[in-house]
């Protein structure tokens, strides 16, 4: 009939532009109602000057713009906590200068009397350079075979847990073997449950490695922050030597003329403040690196910025050290308080009430894990948009809830890869260090301190390899977290700036999380 023919012709005419579109995608609004979005997803408000890609969003937006993060005005956030850090550092410097220098020099003279450690210092420098080269090689390896490395890490985790069970039973530890067997079964079930989601973790890892490789200046900053952490640990140790007699008081048992025995009593107030000072600054340095990496990946994601000293690297570094520094100090202080309490409880293990101390350590450890997990995502928003600490945490968690991504952010498979790569580089450097002996050229010229040269150099190599590779891996871990947040925020800019990676991520995410709304 004629009406039917007209209707069919009308439908054919309407279908022509739809075939010309790159893709037709159905997403979910935050209210749960399906909305058709043609082309790519709508533009993110990360940079309001960034135009939406052509062909994007011909229909209703997939989400309420108010639910996205927005660039904050330039002003200092949570400044009081930055001043607390400045006061903390100034106090440690003063204590080290007034009380610690003499005690440190005396201990150093006693330790190095009649010994020459220059040979070990040269060995550490050589092994450090080798570790840097090997750590750098892990980045292209991660990009070439991310899925294979994730599989190897899962299998390796099962093998290690099984080996611990065998060792425990061979040493006659029945209880340890039973506990190890339980963990072995748990790891086995975990590997089986997540094996199908390896491609999802691999594409996130590939994108993060690409962002870090394009902005290698972030790696340089991460290594500088590690050197700063080492310097802080040395300074804190010197100050601890200066006030040790105030922290630990030795009491003599016996008469005034003859001391039969000595007992020690700890001033837990001073000890808590010292632990708090140590962990507070270490957390700030670590989280500053995390915020810098987040801002750098955001610049690469939304504006395609790249280079060793790109605008993304420099801008995120300046923001992290100025306007966002107070927010970094805020979150770091909360974790440092829990870490100091945990260290204090651990130092009191030799006292009475062992069960109560063990329970306290367990509770504090759980709270610390929860807070560190919260910080991991909150500091991504601090780096991307410059929010205060509390606002950043609330907004990023709300973003994941609105997207329905609670399960996605809990699905972390890349941590095992980072651990095994760091361990592999550490073992390689350990083997290279074991090749040094007292007949090595620089050890002949600079006689080493008494001891086993090979074992000492092997230990130095392992520590160097493990530490330097872990720094690079932590940078990539921060990038992976930022990639997940950015994919929730701005898939449109990712499609426009990095279309090949965007297609891989979109296809993989929709395969494993069809309701993710990407």
């Amino acid at each position: 009939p004629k009406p039917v023919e007209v209707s069919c012709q009308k439908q054919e005419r309407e279908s022509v532009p739809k075939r010309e579109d790159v893709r037709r995608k159905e997403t979910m609004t935050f209210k749960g109602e399906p909305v058709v979005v043609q082309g790519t997803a709508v533009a993110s408000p990360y940079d309001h000057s960034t135009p939406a890609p052509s062909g994007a969003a011909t229909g209703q937006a997939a989400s309420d713009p108010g639910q996205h993060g927005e660039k904050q005005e330039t002003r200092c956030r949570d400044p009081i906590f930055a001043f607390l850090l400045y006061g903390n550092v100034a106090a440690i410097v003063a204590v080290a200068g007034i009380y610690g220098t003499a005690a440190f020099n005396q201990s150093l003279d006693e330790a190095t009397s009649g010994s020459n450690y220059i040979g070990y210092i040269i060995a550490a420098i050589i092994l450090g350079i080798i570790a840097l080269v090997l750590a750098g090689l892990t980045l292209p390896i991660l990009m070439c075979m991310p899925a294979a490395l994730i599989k190897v890490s899962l299998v390796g985790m099962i093998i290690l847990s099984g080996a611990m069970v065998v060792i425990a039973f061979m040493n006659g530890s029945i209880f340890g073997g039973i506990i190890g067997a339980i963990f072995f079964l748990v790891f086995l079930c975990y590997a089986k449950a997540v094996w199908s989601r390896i491609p999802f973790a691999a594409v996130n890892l590939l994108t993060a490695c690409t962002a870090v490789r394009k902005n290698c200046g972030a790696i340089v900053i991460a290594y500088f922050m590690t050197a700063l952490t080492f310097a802080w640990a040395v300074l804190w140790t010197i100050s601890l030597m200066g006030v040790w007699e105030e922290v630990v008081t030795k009491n003599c048992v016996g008469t005034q003329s003859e001391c039969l025995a000595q007992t020690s009593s700890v001033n837990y107030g001073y000890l808590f403040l010292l632990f708090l000072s140590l962990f507070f600054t270490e957390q700030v340095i670590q989280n500053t690196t995390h915020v810098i990496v987040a801002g750098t990946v955001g610049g690469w994601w939304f504006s395609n910025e790249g280079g060793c000293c790109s605008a993304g690297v420099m801008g995120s570094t300046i923001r992290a050290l100025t306007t966002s520094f107070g927010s970094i100090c805020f979150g770091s202080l909360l974790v440092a308080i829990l870490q100091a309490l945990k260290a204090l409880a651990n130092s009191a293990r030799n006292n009475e009430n062992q069960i109560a101390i063990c329970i306290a350590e367990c509770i504090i450890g759980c709270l610390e894990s929860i807070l560190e997990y919260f910080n991991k995502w909150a500091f991504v928003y601090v780096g991307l948009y410059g929010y205060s600490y509390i606002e950043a945490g609330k907004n990023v968690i709300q973003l994941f809830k609105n997207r329905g991504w609670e399960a996605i952010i809990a699905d972390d498979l890349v941590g095992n890869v980072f651990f095994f790569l760091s361990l592999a580089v550490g073992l390689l450097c350990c083997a290279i260090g074991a090749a040094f002996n007292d007949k090595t050229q620089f050890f002949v010229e600079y006689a080493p301190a008494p001891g086993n040269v090979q074992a000492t150099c092997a230990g130095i190599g392992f520590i160097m390899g493990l530490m330097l590779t872990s720094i690079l891996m932590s940078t990539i871990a921060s990038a992976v977290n930022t990639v997940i947040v950015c994919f929730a925020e701005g898939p449109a800019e990712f499609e426009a700036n990095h279309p090949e990676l965007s297609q891989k991520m979109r296809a993989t995410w929709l395969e494993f999380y069809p309701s993710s709304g990407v």
Side-chain angles (χ1 to χ4, degrees):
K2 189 173 183 179
V4 175
E5 182 178 354
V6 172
S7 176
C8 291
Q9 292 175 353
K10 182 178 179 181
Q11 291 179 1
E12 183 178 357
R13 285 194 302 269
E14 292 178 349
S15 65
V16 173
K18 294 179 181 179
R19 286 195 298 265
E20 294 175 353
D21 288 336
V22 177
R23 114 182 13 90
R24 176 182 176 92
K25 174 172 166 282
E26 180 177 276
T27 61
M28 302 293 292
T29 65
F30 291 129
K31 296 180 180 179
E33 300 172 357
V35 182
V36 173
V37 180
Q38 298 176 358
T40 58
V42 296
S44 165
Y46 178 85
D47 185 353
H48 296 286
S49 63
T50 302
S54 58
T58 58
Q60 182 182 352
S63 61
D64 181 7
Q67 300 289 349
H68 288 285
E70 295 182 354
K71 280 286 189 181
Q72 301 298 294
E73 62 177 337
T74 304
R75 65 181 180 86
C76 292
R77 313 279 171 178
D78 305 314
I80 184 64
F81 297 99
F83 286 113
L84 287 177
L85 177 75
Y86 300 147
N88 168 52
V89 174
I92 291 297
V93 170
V95 171
I98 297 173
Y99 302 104
T101 306
F104 178 76
N105 290 334
Q106 181 181 355
S107 299
L108 190 62
D109 291 339
E110 293 175 356
T112 60
S113 178
S115 301
N116 192 331
Y117 287 90
I118 296 180
Y120 288 122
I121 294 174
I122 296 175
I125 293 173
I126 294 174
L127 292 170
I129 294 173
I130 294 173
L132 279 174
V133 173
L134 293 176
L137 292 177
T138 60
L139 190 57
I141 293 174
L142 278 171
M143 297 183 66
C144 291
M145 52 179 73
L149 288 175
I150 294 174
K151 292 177 181 178
V152 170
S153 67
L154 284 174
V155 174
M157 182 176 63
I158 296 173
I159 293 175
L160 282 179
S161 60
M164 292 178 64
V165 174
V166 174
I167 292 173
F169 281 122
M170 287 180 64
N171 291 333
S173 177
I174 305 298
F175 179 76
I178 294 174
I179 297 298
I182 294 174
F183 277 101
F184 173 77
L185 294 175
V186 170
F187 288 146
L188 196 63
C189 294
Y190 171 75
K192 182 179 180 181
V194 301
W195 194 267
S196 62
R197 293 199 290 273
I198 288 177
F200 165 76
V203 73
N204 293 337
L205 181 58
L206 174 63
T207 304
C209 290
T210 304
V212 172
R213 183 174 60 86
K214 293 291 185 180
N215 297 270
C216 57
I219 301 175
V220 177
I221 293 174
Y223 281 118
F224 172 77
M225 291 296 185
T226 303
L228 195 61
T229 303
F230 176 76
W232 167 251
V234 172
L235 180 65
W236 183 85
T237 303
I238 294 173
S239 65
L240 177 63
M241 290 179 177
V243 297
W244 182 250
E245 292 183 358
E246 299 294 332
V247 175
V248 178
T249 304
K250 292 184 179 180
N251 303 314
C252 188
V253 178
T255 62
Q256 293 182 351
S257 59
E258 184 179 1
C259 184
L260 300 178
Q262 282 188 339
T263 60
S264 299
S265 59
V266 180
N267 188 320
Y268 288 104
Y270 284 137
L271 192 59
F272 172 76
L273 291 176
L274 285 168
F275 281 141
L276 181 61
S277 174
L278 173 66
F279 295 130
F280 184 21
T281 306
E282 285 185 349
Q283 280 289 317
V284 168
I285 296 173
Q286 175 184 332
N287 292 327
T288 299
T289 306
H290 182 30
V291 169
I292 290 173
V293 172
T296 301
V297 173
W300 172 83
W301 185 284
F302 293 104
S303 304
N304 199 15
E305 297 171 347
C308 183
C309 298
S310 64
V313 174
M314 301 306 295
S316 60
T317 302
I318 293 172
R319 288 193 304 271
L321 297 177
T322 54
T323 55
S324 296
F325 194 63
S327 301
I328 296 172
C329 294
F330 188 2
S332 301
L333 179 60
L334 297 179
V335 175
I337 292 173
L338 293 176
Q339 288 180 328
L341 290 172
K342 187 177 179 180
L344 200 66
N346 188 49
S347 65
R349 274 187 173 275
N350 293 329
N351 297 338
E352 299 177 355
N353 302 321
Q354 291 288 326
I355 297 178
I357 292 174
C358 184
I359 294 173
E361 277 190 286
C362 182
I363 295 173
I364 294 171
C366 292
L367 292 175
E368 179 189 352
S369 299
I370 294 171
L371 194 54
E372 286 180 340
Y373 181 81
F374 178 83
N375 283 357
K376 177 173 71 172
W377 301 108
F379 284 134
V380 171
Y381 244 47
V382 171
L384 288 176
Y385 301 112
Y387 280 108
S388 65
Y389 172 70
I390 297 296
E391 288 179 323
K394 290 192 297 185
N395 287 340
V396 72
I397 297 301
Q398 188 62 41
L399 169 70
F400 289 139
K401 285 185 178 179
N402 290 337
R403 282 282 194 175
W405 285 16
E406 292 93 336
I408 294 178
I409 61 176
D411 194 3
D412 183 15
L413 297 177
V414 298
N416 293 327
V417 178
F418 299 151
F419 169 74
F420 276 99
L421 281 177
S422 300
L423 184 63
V425 173
L427 292 175
L428 282 174
C429 292
C430 177
I432 295 172
F436 296 156
N437 53 50
D438 53 6
K439 300 296 189 293
T440 307
Q441 180 63 36
F442 50 81
F443 278 119
V444 172
E445 186 176 355
Y446 301 105
N452 190 327
V453 173
Q454 284 184 305
T456 304
C457 290
I460 293 173
F462 179 76
I463 293 173
M464 285 290 183
L466 184 68
M467 181 182 69
L468 293 177
T469 309
S470 297
I471 294 167
L472 177 60
M473 295 299 105
S474 66
T475 305
I476 298 174
S478 299
V480 170
N481 297 331
T482 308
V483 162
I484 295 175
V485 174
C486 289
F487 203 48
E489 287 278 347
E493 289 85 345
F494 190 46
E495 174 72 20
N497 296 323
H498 314 282
E500 185 177 349
L501 282 173
S502 175
Q503 292 172 9
K504 288 182 180 180
M505 284 195 68
R506 193 183 300 274
T508 306
W509 277 56
L510 289 176
E511 178 182 356
F512 293 96
Y513 298 100
S515 61
S516 61
V518 298

